[in-house]
Amino acid sequence: MLRTTARLAASMALTLSMTAGLAAVTAPTASAASEPRACTLRFSDHAGKIIADAFNFRRGPGTSYSSRGYLYKSDKIRLKCARGHWYYGTLTARSKSGLAKNTSGWLHDKFLAQLA
């Protein structure tokens, strides 16, 4: 009986969201599945413009997380999501400091050009 009630409630919620013109999502996209759970804001994968030299590319969204290495203005990154002032991204080429292409990590927004 409990399963039937839960299924009925889920079905009604799905019908209501579709009726209201909202997109119903049943599973995360491939890119969303690869993002860390710490993300609170997800957005389309887009290029980030780094505006500082020699700052930490961290393992998590905060200074308490260890650094993977340093990033520089010339480094190329694709941003995936954010948590507060911290952005999660992936390097699209080897970094100036030697981090491998496809290395992912977190950087503070003060090291990024303002996002539009």
Side-chain angles (χ1 to χ4, degrees):
M1 178 70 173
L2 184 58
R3 279 189 183 167
T4 304
T5 304
R7 284 184 188 165
L8 180 59
S11 177
M12 289 174 62
L14 179 61
T15 302
L16 180 61
S17 68
M18 293 180 81
T19 303
L22 302 172
V25 179
T26 56
T29 63
S31 64
S34 65
E35 295 166 4
R37 289 180 182 217
C39 290
T40 55
L41 174 66
R42 288 173 169 67
F43 43 85
S44 297
D45 174 48
H46 86 247
K49 178 159 177 60
I50 297 172
I51 58 170
D53 278 331
F55 64 91
N56 289 307
F57 191 42
R58 298 195 176 271
R59 294 181 187 275
T63 57
S64 62
Y65 291 90
S66 63
S67 176
R68 293 185 176 280
Y70 293 110
L71 293 183
Y72 293 83
K73 288 180 188 176
S74 60
D75 292 336
K76 308 294 182 208
I77 192 165
R78 299 294 295 180
L79 301 173
K80 314 277 187 195
C81 65
R83 179 182 185 108
H85 291 281
W86 291 87
Y87 284 79
Y88 178 79
T90 302
L91 294 172
T92 59
R94 185 177 183 84
S95 74
K96 182 177 177 180
S97 65
L99 292 171
K101 177 181 178 178
N102 295 324
T103 299
S104 294
W106 293 84
L107 60 155
H108 195 277
D109 65 2
K110 69 183 174 187
F111 304 119
L112 291 169
Q114 185 167 349
L115 302 173

